Amino acid sequence: MQIEQYKIDEFNQRHAQEHTRRYEFAASSLANVDDVLQRLVDFQIGIPSWALGTGGTRFGRFPGGGEPRSLEEKIEDVGLLHALNQSSGSISLHIPWDIPSDYKAIKALAAQHGLRFDAVNSNTFQDQADQSLSYKFGSMQHVDKAVRRQAVEHNIEVIRHGMELGSDALTVWLSDGSSFPGQLSFRKAFENTLESLQEVYAALPDDWKVFVEYKAFEPNFYSMTVGDWGQSLLLANKLGPKAYTLVDLGHHLPNANIEQIVSLLLMEGKLGGFHFNDSKYGDDDLTTGSIKPYQLFLIFSSLIDGMDARSMDHATSLAWMIDASHNVKDPLEDLLQSVEAIMIAYTQALLVDQQALREAQQENDVARCQEILQEAYRTDVRPVVAEARLRAGAALRPLQLFREVKVRENLVKERGRKTVATGL
């Protein structure tokens, strides 16, 4: 299914009067609104191929109708999202869930939908049907060098797929760790992981990056071999200048100060990118901004301060992607909501008077610091985000149009009611 541009234009025309009134009121108090709008138009958020179907838990999975049955249909779904918001301009593939059978055709299809290929993702956290050796006790940390070699070769294969598609980064998340005290040597597990990653690093093209993702717990709960940003940073530093830390918002212990983490990683020039989601307890993989919108704003405020200090381009210097599991919502609706929340938080953070904040910090004026941040956070920027979409040719209200043109109903008619997308 595709949404023709005339339907978007007709929808926008129906809502133009109300939008203009709200936008003009919001813009009247912003001194740099044109700059903000251009930054919003430029800012793109990657959509992972595995997030286009209904997710699941350890206890069950309840697939929705019309889920994409192939990589081609996943690209079409991301194309739908991008047509609606013009902020979802890239797709991130997970290998071996989404191995292209025809690179040229897949690239042409992505281009048809205005999409590029973001970082490619390897998978050594589960065994595949044709796999010789098991990752039950780890992959790159494994005591058996043959298992480690298998994990390394898989990651190198993922790089090759990415090269064919025009990607320029590899994301490595390892589920390696231990469930019980004494199960493994922490030191040896880390050394094995580093040695394995060094082999993968050596296979990177000159213009590529590798993102080392960390997670505090799950599936192992006693220890994770890459369990926090310090361990990831240690690996990235040892690997070399093409290696960076990747931050997933749900991969922290409760109440971790993520804005401080990203500030220090930026300071060290080792922040590679983000996986956006939200959580109440842990890695809940909920809709971005649904639980902790103020935290998301504070993270973006720290990001903008740190990126501007290093003269980094907001849109291209870091890899931005959603990583969520849609267990009870329509996946496409959930992704539209997440993109909207990210754009709102980014816009609010752009409104922070960073110079005034630094001056207040220098004077130890704690109350003033709070006021500066909350003045930006409490500003209703939704009309500004909508105006950026309008200027980019997207829908003023993506979710509303999604429902009006009955996207899910049409996908069910095309694909069937009992389809299951590849992935988790």
Side-chain angles (χ1 to χ4, degrees), residues 20 28 83 94 108 118 123 185 196 223 225 247 280 303-304 322 328 337 391-392 403 408 421:
T20 299
S28 65
H94 214 296
D118 211 326
N123 180 343
S185 162
S196 299
S223 74
T225 299
V247 176
K280 176 68 174 177
L303 282 168
I304 289 172
I322 294 170
V328 296
Q337 289 180 314
R391 296 189 182 193
R403 291 190 168 191
R408 182 54 60 186

Side-chain angles (χ1 to χ4, degrees), residues 17 24 31 42 51 71 82 86 95 97 99 113 121 126 157 175 248 250 256 294 308 342 385 388 392 409 422:
Q17 186 174 354
E24 288 179 349
D42 294 340
L71 175 55
H82 192 47
Q86 287 299 316
I95 307 298
W97 295 339
I99 297 178
H113 290 281
N121 303 262
Q126 59 183 193
E157 177 194 354
S175 65
D248 184 305
Y294 189 52
D308 288 350
I342 293 167
V385 174
E409 291 88 336
T422 55

Side-chain angles (χ1 to χ4, degrees), residues 80-341:
L80 281 170
L81 296 175
H82 192 47
L84 287 165
N85 61 30
Q86 287 299 316
S87 299
S88 308
S90 63
I91 181 170
S92 183
L93 302 190
H94 214 296
I95 307 298
W97 295 339
D98 295 301
I99 297 178
S101 57
D102 185 333
Y103 296 114
K104 186 176 180 180
I106 286 296
K107 289 176 70 175
L109 180 62
Q112 177 186 330
H113 290 281
L115 306 176
R116 67 176 184 85
F117 288 94
D118 211 326
V120 283
N121 303 262
S122 59
N123 180 343
T124 61
F125 53 81
Q126 59 183 193
D127 290 347
Q128 307 302 322
D130 58 350
Q131 189 173 306
S132 301
L133 303 169
S134 176
Y135 295 132
K136 180 177 180 178
F137 296 107
S139 58
M140 291 191 176
Q141 75 168 21
H142 205 284
V143 294
D144 186 343
K145 189 171 180 60
V147 177
R148 302 200 301 272
R149 166 51 49 188
Q150 178 178 267
V152 168
E153 290 175 351
H154 167 66
N155 276 271
I156 293 174
E157 177 194 354
V158 173
I159 293 171
R160 295 194 189 104
H161 289 305
M163 291 171 64
E164 293 286 350
L165 294 169
S167 179
D168 60 6
L170 167 72
T171 298
V172 180
W173 175 69
L174 302 172
S175 65
D176 296 13
S178 63
S179 296
F180 298 96
Q183 178 181 331
L184 54 68
S185 162
F186 299 141
R187 174 180 54 80
K188 190 61 179 174
F190 191 88
E191 288 174 344
N192 286 344
T193 301
L194 173 60
E195 179 185 273
S196 299
L197 285 172
Q198 285 171 331
E199 293 183 55
V200 175
Y201 186 89
L204 285 174
D206 292 340
D207 58 346
W208 270 53
K209 299 176 181 178
V210 60
F211 303 135
V212 182
E213 187 174 357
Y214 60 90
K215 187 174 184 179
F217 60 91
E218 196 184 41
N220 290 289
F221 288 86
Y222 182 68
S223 74
M224 291 288 284
T225 299
V226 190
D228 59 33
W229 69 279
Q231 291 164 316
S232 173
L233 176 61
L234 184 60
L235 288 168
N237 280 334
K238 288 179 178 293
L239 289 173
K242 294 186 289 187
Y244 298 84
T245 290
L246 186 136
V247 176
D248 184 305
L249 298 187
H251 285 194
H252 302 83
L253 295 172
N255 301 316
N257 193 323
I258 301 174
E259 52 266 37
Q260 183 180 24
I261 293 171
V262 301
S263 292
L264 297 180
L265 287 171
L266 274 171
M267 181 184 71
E268 291 298 300
K270 280 295 185 179
L271 179 62
F274 264 84
H275 283 179
F276 291 103
N277 46 56
D278 213 334
S279 63
K280 176 68 174 177
Y281 298 106
D283 192 25
D284 303 347
D285 270 344
L286 301 177
T287 316
T288 308
S290 63
I291 306 294
K292 303 171 186 173
Y294 189 52
Q295 181 193 56
L296 184 62
F297 157 76
L298 293 174
I299 290 169
F300 263 113
S301 181
S302 292
L303 282 168
I304 289 172
D305 176 57
M307 293 179 76
D308 288 350
R310 299 180 64 87
S311 300
M312 297 169 67
D313 185 284
H314 294 183
T316 61
S317 293
L318 298 179
W320 311 103
M321 196 188 81
I322 294 170
D323 188 2
S325 180
H326 324 289
N327 300 334
V328 296
K329 283 185 186 176
D330 182 308
L332 297 181
E333 292 191 349
D334 191 288
L335 288 163
L336 287 172
Q337 289 180 314
S338 285
V339 171
E340 176 82 355

